[in-house]
Amino acid sequence: MVTWHFTDALAALNARFPIENPAPDPKQPFSRQNYVGTLGGPIVKDRLWFFTALEYVHENASIAYSPASRGQFGALAQLASDGLIPGVTSISVPNNVPVPFRDYLATVRLDWAQSNNSHWYLRGAMDSTRNTTPWCSRGAAVHRGDLA
């Protein structure tokens, strides 16, 4: 038996956190895709079965800078344009910081019916998470609305 599932979270459904990202500012960018595939079935009829699953999350989220933070960026940019920061002529003023998140989860299970009274199974799993934003743990801060 083989199954496959895909989910795409629409950016339009991304909620606005009003303290950090008040209207009329645009909502911060967001996209998330979940991929899931499974494969399993009997190896030996009524005795031995296997099952595998692979899940993948591909998320590109962001955390918006507060109006106060953007004001500080603006002041710093002004100092740079006035030539008051040696070696720096300009500083961009971002609205948000990207928080990419990737997660792979693989599971394998083998079931063996030794007899009607004795059943055994072996199960293994591997999870690999990658987040390239050093101050944000596993991308969770994006979902909670605070910094980790």
Side-chain angles (χ1 to χ4, degrees), residues 45-111:
K45 186 178 179 180
D46 297 330
R47 286 283 184 212
L48 188 62
W49 301 265
F50 79 99
F51 176 79
T52 61
L54 179 63
E55 301 175 39
Y56 173 62
V57 175
H58 181 273
E59 179 178 292
N60 290 320
S62 63
I63 297 176
Y65 285 111
S66 68
S69 295
R70 285 197 310 265
Q72 291 172 353
F73 274 119
L76 198 57
Q78 184 62 46
L79 290 173
S81 67
D82 292 344
L84 298 174
I85 302 175
V88 179
T89 58
S90 68
I91 296 175
S92 64
V93 181
N95 287 326
N96 55 55
V97 61
V99 184
F101 175 72
R102 308 292 182 263
D103 184 49
Y104 299 90
L105 174 62
T107 58
V108 177
R109 180 171 168 148
L110 189 66
D111 285 32

Side-chain angles (χ1 to χ4, degrees), residues 108-140:
V108 177
R109 180 171 168 148
L110 189 66
D111 285 32
W112 176 42
Q114 184 179 16
S115 67
N116 287 340
N117 296 324
S118 178
H119 293 260
W120 299 81
Y121 72 90
L122 177 65
R123 182 176 59 191
M126 184 181 79
D127 190 0
S128 174
T129 300
R130 184 171 60 91
N131 179 357
T132 58
T133 306
W135 46 263
C136 187
S137 174
R138 291 186 59 129

